[in-house]
Amino acid sequence: MSQNLAFADYAVFIIYFVVVSTYGYMIYRKREKNEHDAKAYFLAEGTLTWWAIGASLIASNISAEQFIGMSGEGFFLGVAVAAYEWIAAIALIIIAIWFIPVYLKNKIYTMPQFLKTRYNESTALIMAVFWLFLYVFVNLTSILYLGAVAINGLAGGEYLHAIMIGLAVFALLISLGGMKVVAYTDVIQVAVLIIGGLVTSYIALTTVGHYFGFGQDAIAGFKVLMEKAPEHFKMIIPRPTATSSQLEINKYLTFPGMMSYLAGIWIINLNYWGCNQYITQRALGADLQTARTGILFAGMLKLLMPLIVMLPGIAAFVLYENGHLPHLVGGKDGAYSAMLTFLPTGLKGLSVAALTAAIVASLAGKVNSISTIYTLDVHKKYIQKNATDRAQVNIGKYAVFAAMVLAVMFTWNDLLGIGGVGGFTYIQKYTGFISPGVFAMFILGMFWKRTTGTAAIVGVISGFLLSVFFNEFAPAILGNETLLYTAWPNGKGGFEIPFHICMGLSFLFTMLLMVGISFAGPKVNPKAFELDTEMFKVKPQTTVLIVITLLIICALYVKFW
């Protein structure tokens, strides 16, 4: 282990651990008088500040799949992968203006509660059970596995299971304290994450500058990246032609140029940020202005993320292509870990702390959401209807523990095959199959009164089935050319439709089906939300934040178009 990390690295990491643990304990002691208040435990109702909400959103979102997976995509695709982050910033603006007011106006605390209030109890129960399985067996396991693998590689490659247990226990210590402890420790986590990530990116650029004769100059290093890999600094991946190489086709399959912006990447972001208990829970206990400001703050932080999680991947590509990085363990997903090897003693410990902060914050946020959905939407409604606040908090803690144990068990020997496809691909594949149906169900439920409960159930099921069809069967059935899409050889003996296009088609046909079923239903829906236009108005300071964010995104797209 000492061959990778020195005493100073361990010291930095231990300091990080002690600071986060101590601060978390202090927050826990402050809320002890509300120890058995269910809403205080699950939502930290009314106590989170805007900066805590924003930081917690980012800390929960950025995890090992971003550090490792998106850095790998930076190695493979380049700056185009930054679209996930920059479009997310726009999506957060949309959520802040139009989605959050609907939730808060109708006193929504969980996503299944939204479905019960708007549609019916059957829809809510189906999705509650589904989300529990998805969060435990897809999200939680992949975060834990990828995080353990990444840290294990830096620690010498012999401690995978010990690191896995350590991450799980650390996350448990934080999450058992409830949402307030999770959110406020996330402020430290995101600070460590950003500082450590920026240090890694800076060292990556100075390393490139050094190898190409410019000394320890980060700006010169960035210019070298643009000169040596100009194709990595284009936001739009060109559509392949008959003479394109398999590598060019694979890039298009991953991010199909302008077609990504027509639907796919918007569905991914709006569903993730606006219809996801794991994310929205941070804002559901706050007042509207605090929630909005926190979400917009998260959107501004999102603008920084490509610099942290993507740039080291491009640096690794340039060094690798020019013989300065002869061995890349794990292919493109090894890009971030490879760049950490260039860090000096002490700073390597800071980067490991940043990676750990991202993993632990995501694990804690995820199990807190699992606990909330299980306790409020399953246990209290169907198992123990008269549960007191004290009982709900205790059940929530048991759920936290059970979820983490299950995740460790299924990750222990990679039972779900996460390592076989890569964690980032694993998450995108299995959550992307249901995103079109879920997003259609939410967006129509919020803003179209005629949408019925029958349409919602049919929509979420048809969205999944259509996703399966377009991803797995359409290329073989319809051939490789149609009006709406193009299927390309995937290098494995078959054809494939780009993932984003599949999502767009699934969403389009799901929406049409739901609209048709709703028109066939009752003309007046007594469960429709009454929307007050006043609740969508924004204050001047909020408008300023929105304009600044949009101007920065426009400038970035103009630069790298």
Side-chain angles (χ1 to χ4, degrees):
M1 196 169 183
S2 60
Q3 62 182 338
N4 293 290
L5 300 177
F7 175 79
D9 296 311
Y10 290 116
V12 170
F13 184 83
I14 290 170
I15 290 171
Y16 149 75
F17 177 82
V18 170
V19 169
V20 172
S21 300
T22 303
Y23 185 63
Y25 182 71
M26 289 169 57
I27 297 296
Y28 176 76
R29 288 298 299 268
K30 283 184 178 180
R31 62 161 291 273
E32 269 191 313
K33 64 180 180 179
N34 295 322
E35 172 67 18
H36 301 298
D37 183 332
K39 286 185 179 178
Y41 179 80
F42 293 114
L43 297 169
E45 187 175 17
T47 62
L48 296 185
T49 60
W50 62 266
W51 46 269
I53 291 171
S56 187
L57 284 170
I58 295 301
S60 295
N61 168 240
I62 301 299
S63 188
E65 72 268 22
Q66 269 75 27
F67 270 99
I68 306 303
M70 290 196 73
S71 186
E73 293 301 339
F75 181 95
F76 178 58
L77 284 178
V79 75
V81 75
Y84 281 102
E85 305 301 294
W86 294 337
I87 296 300
I90 301 176
L92 282 164
I93 292 173
I94 295 171
I95 303 305
I97 296 176
W98 287 291
F99 281 46
I100 286 298
V102 176
Y103 291 143
L104 296 182
K105 176 84 172 178
N106 293 279
K107 296 183 173 16
I108 300 298
Y109 299 119
T110 70
M111 296 300 96
Q113 182 198 352
F114 168 86
L115 298 177
K116 179 180 181 296
T117 304
R118 177 59 180 84
Y119 294 121
N120 53 56
E121 198 159 318
S122 298
T123 306
L125 179 60
I126 290 169
M127 291 308 299
V129 173
F130 172 79
W131 273 316
L132 288 174
F133 274 90
L134 181 73
Y135 287 170
V136 173
F137 296 113
V138 176
N139 299 107
L140 207 57
T141 51
S142 57
I143 293 168
L144 190 58
Y145 177 84
L146 259 186
V149 168
I151 296 175
N152 184 52
L154 295 170
E158 301 175 358
Y159 305 91
L160 179 64
H161 292 125
I163 292 170
M164 195 182 296
I165 292 173
L167 290 171
V169 171
F170 192 5
L172 275 175
L173 290 175
I174 293 173
S175 52
L176 287 172
M179 174 51 73
K180 187 172 182 179
V181 175
V182 170
Y184 279 105
T185 53
D186 277 351
V187 175
I188 297 180
Q189 305 275 40
V190 85
V192 174
L193 183 160
I194 290 175
I195 294 170
L198 288 175
V199 166
T200 302
S201 294
Y202 176 80
I203 296 298
L205 292 175
T206 58
T207 299
V208 170
H210 168 73
Y211 276 112
F212 287 90
F214 293 97
Q216 302 299 311
D217 188 337
I219 295 176
F222 185 76
K223 291 179 179 178
V224 169
L225 295 185
M226 297 188 69
E227 290 175 5
K228 297 294 182 180
E231 73 285 355
H232 273 57
F233 286 90
K234 300 293 183 184
M235 289 300 302
I236 307 299
I237 304 297
R239 188 175 185 271
T241 64
T243 59
S244 295
S245 67
Q246 188 60 53
L247 177 62
E248 292 171 321
I249 293 173
N250 288 344
K251 288 184 177 182
Y252 187 78
L253 287 172
T254 304
F255 200 90
M258 287 301 299
M259 294 300 291
S260 293
Y261 293 93
L262 293 180
I265 199 164
W266 290 102
I267 296 169
I268 290 170
N269 277 298
L270 289 171
N271 180 67
Y272 178 83
W273 292 102
C275 314
N276 185 350
Q277 181 72 28
Y278 172 48
I279 294 300
T280 55
Q281 187 168 339
R282 277 108 181 105
L284 294 181
D287 64 83
L288 179 57
Q289 187 57 36
T290 301
R292 268 185 172 157
T293 307
I295 293 170
L296 293 174
F297 176 53
M300 299 189 78
L301 289 178
K302 264 294 183 185
L303 302 179
L304 274 177
M305 291 304 111
L307 183 62
I308 293 171
V309 300
M310 175 205 68
L311 201 57
I314 301 179
F317 173 81
V318 170
L319 292 174
Y320 181 79
E321 288 293 302
N322 290 274
H324 301 302
L325 195 63
H327 188 51
L328 199 65
V329 178
K332 65 180 183 180
D333 281 345
Y336 192 82
S337 296
M339 294 312 300
L340 292 184
T341 62
F342 291 103
L343 294 175
T345 298
L347 289 183
K348 190 179 294 183
L350 178 61
S351 290
V352 173
L355 184 57
T356 304
I359 297 162
V360 170
S362 291
L363 288 173
K366 186 64 71 178
V367 293
N368 188 270
S369 295
I370 292 167
S371 168
T372 302
I373 290 177
Y374 174 76
T375 305
L376 300 184
D377 296 301
V378 178
H379 192 90
K380 190 174 188 301
K381 290 187 183 303
Y382 302 102
I383 300 174
Q384 192 179 357
K385 294 183 178 181
N386 297 321
T388 62
D389 274 15
R390 178 188 291 267
Q392 290 178 59
V393 170
N394 289 336
I395 290 298
K397 291 180 178 180
Y398 295 146
V400 164
F401 185 78
M404 194 64 78
V405 169
L406 282 172
V408 171
M409 287 173 57
F410 275 80
T411 311
W412 194 261
N413 292 310
D414 195 14
L415 293 181
L416 297 178
I418 301 168
V421 297
F424 190 75
T425 302
Y426 178 81
I427 291 176
Q428 295 300 318
K429 178 179 179 180
Y430 289 100
T431 58
F433 271 56
I434 58 92
S435 294
V438 172
F439 182 57
M441 179 171 59
F442 269 78
I443 196 76
L444 287 177
M446 284 186 188
F447 302 112
W448 191 45
K449 293 182 180 181
R450 284 288 298 272
T451 315
T452 64
T454 302
I457 294 176
V458 172
V460 75
I461 295 172
S462 63
F464 172 75
L465 294 176
L466 285 166
S467 293
V468 172
F469 172 75
F470 284 116
N471 278 280
E472 304 296 336
F473 301 108
I477 295 173
L478 302 177
N480 67 328
E481 291 282 351
T482 75
L483 178 64
L484 292 176
Y485 77 93
T486 303
W488 298 92
N490 57 16
K492 301 175 183 178
F495 285 90
E496 187 175 327
I497 304 172
F499 179 69
H500 286 179
I501 297 177
C502 291
M503 291 186 69
L505 292 172
S506 300
F507 178 72
L508 172 64
F509 288 113
T510 298
M511 290 279 284
L512 291 174
L513 184 60
M514 288 183 65
V515 169
I517 292 173
S518 295
F519 271 126
K523 291 184 178 180
V524 179
N525 188 347
K527 303 199 80 173
F529 289 141
E530 291 296 330
L531 301 180
D532 179 3
T533 55
E534 288 294 319
M535 65 198 224
F536 298 121
K537 292 183 178 180
V538 296
K539 293 185 177 181
Q541 59 266 37
T542 304
T543 304
V544 170
L545 288 176
I546 292 171
V547 170
I548 291 173
T549 302
L550 292 176
L551 286 175
I552 293 173
I553 293 171
C554 288
L556 290 167
Y557 267 86
V558 169
K559 173 65 177 177
F560 297 115
W561 185 260

